[in-house]
Each structure stands twice: as C-alpha cells, then as structure tokens.
Amino acid sequence: MHKKIIVVFLALALVFTTLAACGSGSGGAATTAAATTAAATTAAATTAAATTAAAATTTAAAGAATTTAALTAPPTTTAAIAAPTTAAADTVEPPLQVTWFRSQINRNAITYWKDALWLQELQARMNIEIDFNGPLSGHGSADYNTAINVLLNSGDLPDMMYHNWNTYSGGIQGTIEDGIAVDVKNNADYWAHLPHFEAIINSNDLIRKAVTLDNGGVACFNQVEESGNRAAYNNLCLREDWLDLIGKEPPTTVDELYEIFVALKEAMPNVYPMTDEQGLGTLQTLMPAWGMRYNTPYPDPDTGLITYWTLFRDGDAFTDFVTTMNKWYSEGLIDPDFPSNDGAAREAKVTGQISTYTLMMPQQLPQWRDAIVAANPELEGKVHFYGLQPLTGYAGEPYSRDSRKSMAASGSGTIVTTAAEKAGKVERILDMIDYLFSPEGTELNSWGVEGISYYVDSNGTKQWSELVTDDPQFSFGDAVFKYAIPTFGDWPKIMSYEAWLSQETADPDSYRAHENLLKGNPDLSAPGIQLRPDESEEYNRIRGDANTMIEEYFVQLIIGVRPLSDIPVLLAELDRIGLRRAMDIYQVAYDRFNEK
C-alpha cells in the first residue's frame, strides 16, 4: 500500500539527542526529567473555541467523575482542593472514539495515559475517548520503531500517530505523498479548526519554519516552545564544598577548571576530579568551549555556515580538544574507567566521592546530594553541587551545548491519518489538538485541574496542591505525572516554562544551576532541519561512515591507545570519505529552512 514505508534506523543512530530526551531517565539518583518552555497565547473567540465550549457543556456526569476523583485521595486541605469544574448534562452524545499510536507514559507513579487526570479531563471536555495503542517502551526504542514499522506496512492505520517522522523516507512530506498523513494546512476547512495553533506559529518564526513544509503545508503537530530557556539543562557540576576545601571559586574558563582539577588531585590523591560514561555526556558538554558540537551539524560560530566538529577551524579545534583531554587523562585528572562506565558506575563514582566534575541536569542535583548524605550522614547540610556556567576556552566564547533553536518545535510529533479522514473524524480531532494549544489547554496539561492538583495563591501564582507534593507513596517528581505533564514533552502542546520551573528548579542548587546555564552563548544551536529524499541518502551514508571512523579514534586518542600523531590521519580520512560534501548537502537544507 505504501511504497516508502521505511523507518530509517540509521538516521536514528546518527541523530544525537541531548540528555533531555523528554520523559526518559538515566536511573538511580540521576533521574533525567525533560523540560518545558513557553507561555499560553491569547486568541480571539473562534469557531473552534465555540466547538470546545459546546463539547464541555455536553459532558456526561460519568465522564466528569472519571476526570476528577478517580486518581486522588481525599484532600488534606479543604480550602486548597475543591470539586471538579467539568459540568454534567442531562443528555449527552456518545464520545468520539479515537485511536492514537504512541508510547504509554510508563513512569513510577503511572503507567498508562488513561489514568492521568489531565488526559481524563481533556477527553471529558472534548467528548472524545482515546485508545492509546502503542507499546510501553518509549518512542525511539527498538520496540517502538519495530511496532510502528509493522503498523505502517500493514496499512491498517490508527486515527493519530506519533513518531520521529524525520526517520521516514521523505519525512513528513513523504507521509502525505504515501497517503498516510493529512495535510491540514492545505485544506481550508481543516485549517479553520486550528486558530490557536495558527496564532502560535504566526507569532514565532522558528516554530513556523519548523512545522511548515517546503510547499507551505502542515501535517505534524509537535511540542512547541516560545522561549529557548528550557533548553538550558546540560550542566557540568562541581562539589562546591570541595571548592571551598581547596580555596577556589567556581571556574568560568577552561584554564581555571584545569587549575581546580590539579588542586583537587593534590588535596585528595585518590580522587579523579572528572568522570564520564560511555555516552560521553560530560565530554560533549565541555566541547562547546572549543566551539564544537559532538557528531552533529551546527552553524560555524565564525562564518555562520554549517560545519562539523572535526572540520571547525580546519580541524584545529578538534586537535586542541583531544590533545588537552589526553593531557588531563595522563595526569590522572580524568577517571580511567570513563570509557566503560555505564550510568550507574558514573553515579557511584560521584556519590562515592571518587569524582566530582560530571554532567548533571539541574533537577538532578538534590538526588545526587541526598545520595552522598545518605551514605555519609555527617555531611548533612554540607554537600552542595555548583552547576557551572558554560566555560570560555579555545573558541573564545562561553558557548553552550543547549539546543534552543531546535527546541522551538520538537523533532517528533503527531500526524492525523487518512484513516481518520475516511472515518470523518478529522475536524473533531483538530478541535482537540487546537485546544491543547490554547491557554486553557496549556494550563490543563501543564498543571492539571485547579482545585485538585493545583491552586492559585493570594499572589496569583500557581502552586501544586498537597495531593501532588505530599503523596504518601511517590516523590513529588513522580506523583505530579498522575495529574499533569509539566516536564513531559512530545505532545501537541505548548511547554510551560512556569510549570517546568516549579518542578525542576525548586531546589536552590537547581535554580542556580539553571540560571548559570542561561549565561551561555547558544549560537552553536541549529534549528531542526528536514532533508529531502534525494539529499538524505547520500548525506546519511557519508555521515554514518564519518561517525563510525571518529568513534574508532576519539576515545583511543584521549586515553593514549592511539598516538596523538594519528589525529591528522583521522582528519585526512574524513576528507577522503566526503564529510565536507555531507555538510554542503546539509547547508542547502539549512538555507531552505531559513528562506521559508
């Protein structure tokens, strides 16, 4: 039925997603939370808003009951937790049945989306019943990719599908050409159901370019962010109490960091100041000080043209970085086990006080700190992690690793399928999607239901209720997902920066770390680019070969298995296999994006 149904797993392997892949975790004390940005947009009353209001007034009493008390214990504060706001009606239309292929939430406190308060409330307000029929494993996993590939090849499509469509042959445009996705922008009747979504993309040029196809069409609904601030969540951290021990201030340059490492090694010979793991997250987050992004195309900060980290400044930046890391390693400043560490091993090095400098998300700092104190009660109140601002080094600027431009709209998203169109469901589905982009919908998915999961204090500030903060079984960070998704992305939604801050930076150390990250220069960030089918095959082949070769050399050069004299050999070989040609291809797509 669909000749191009090929999920390109190579592309998945090549796309480096920051450690903030939304809703994923690295385990143990270092649980990674995805984050959010953005505020709700105001829009005039519209046809879709009227439709939403009508649906809300015809909600069944049974539906209202499901959306409110089913998940929650009796409130402990009578004033803070009120009755639900969903209205019941005497006569009700049966809810529209909608199938949506996407992974389940599968968090500690909640496994299935159907059990989330905000989702139950959304269905009641829109008079829609959603069957989420994807696997428990997260999107991007092998199980998920296999399942969606089988589903696409079967031709038996659900009404909605979530995926990273950049891995589909031809991307979003390919799904339209293959009769899978509906191009809602080029259908005036459909587009009329999306006034809030239209207002969002018209108010933010990066969002508009990211979601609009080359022909002006729109077929995919992504998580969007009106501010890039939430992207600042890749922190390099040091023990602040250890800095006090050696009489040093937090570093702002690479040279200052080296001086701290040397002083720590002298004061504590058994300590390796820096550690990392197989994913090389710490090294990747240090690279921007050299003007580099690991294994991904990015704008050259000197010229504005697309480059690659081994090509920047004709390979001199790469050479200097590898030479510096080799020096630090040979001096015992880097954990010798870093190439073989998994997440748990890296965590053990830090919580066991064998190392200090490593990658941490701001929201993780309390867990790392608490793990150290749990093993060393005498350190209660004394352990603090200092999240550093991006360092200035070889490149001369404090460049950050964050992806503020690409996070304007996530690379993955939801399409409405031709199966929904054949069933006459598109308009109702679009009403629901548009509601998620409205101020009311943003408040619902970010905070849940007022009077249940949150309340507004006397200063007009939203606060989580005791049902969320004082759950008897789960931590605040886990319990919140029973009610809302303030830090869980990849829905058609605006990510609320306010809600994210309330959860992810509540701890003073976390807030300071996030503020320091915002001091970085984001110019190494590139927007999400979609290659055309004729571009992607050659580009992916060259880049795949290049990355394989880089991986064969990179760590071995740092730890001395290969001599530093092999660096020119690697750079010459990358030229031979056409890495510059791949960047030329990507430059064409980048120019096309900027011209939208």
Side-chain angles (χ1 to χ4, degrees), residues 407-423:
M407 290 183 72
S410 63
S412 303
T414 294
I415 60 171
V416 181
T417 71
T418 51
E421 187 169 44
K422 291 174 184 176

Side-chain angles (χ1 to χ4, degrees), residues 49 64 94 140 157 165 182 197 214 254 261-262 277 298 301 309 392 427 453 469 474 515 519 523 527 533 591:
L157 301 176
W165 299 106
V182 176
F197 180 71
D214 291 346
V254 172
F261 282 4
V262 171
E277 61 182 282
Y298 64 96
W309 64 307
T392 300
E427 288 88 349
S453 53
T469 60
F474 299 103
E515 289 291 296
K519 297 174 183 177
D523 286 352
D591 292 342

Side-chain angles (χ1 to χ4, degrees), residues 35-42 196-197 199-201 203 207 222-227 230 408 433-447 485-500:
T36 68
T37 322
T41 7
T42 35
H196 292 103
F197 180 71
I200 288 291
I201 65 174
S203 68
I207 295 175
N222 315 70
Q223 155 202 319
V224 302
E225 314 210 11
E226 296 174 301
S227 159
R230 189 190 66 84
I433 289 174
D434 192 65
Y435 184 76
L436 288 170
F437 287 103
S438 72
E440 187 178 336
T442 298
E443 189 170 86
L444 174 63
N445 63 55
S446 299
W447 293 92
I485 47 170
T487 64
F488 199 104
D490 295 329
W491 282 78
K493 63 176 284 190
I494 301 169
M495 296 292 273
S496 168
Y497 186 51
E498 176 192 17
W500 179 79

Side-chain angles (χ1 to χ4, degrees), residues 275 341-355 368 372:
T275 191
N341 284 340
D342 59 12
R346 178 177 70 102
E347 176 184 313
K349 296 290 176 65
V350 177
T351 58
Q353 305 191 86
I354 297 172
S355 192
W368 290 82
I372 292 173

Side-chain angles (χ1 to χ4, degrees), residues 25-33 343-348 350-352 359-374 385:
S26 60
T31 303
T32 303
R346 178 177 70 102
E347 176 184 313
V350 177
T351 58
L359 174 66
M360 299 182 194
M361 308 298 114
Q363 63 269 24
Q364 294 174 341
L365 302 191
Q367 290 111 318
W368 290 82
R369 183 184 65 214
D370 293 348
I372 292 173
V373 171
F385 281 100

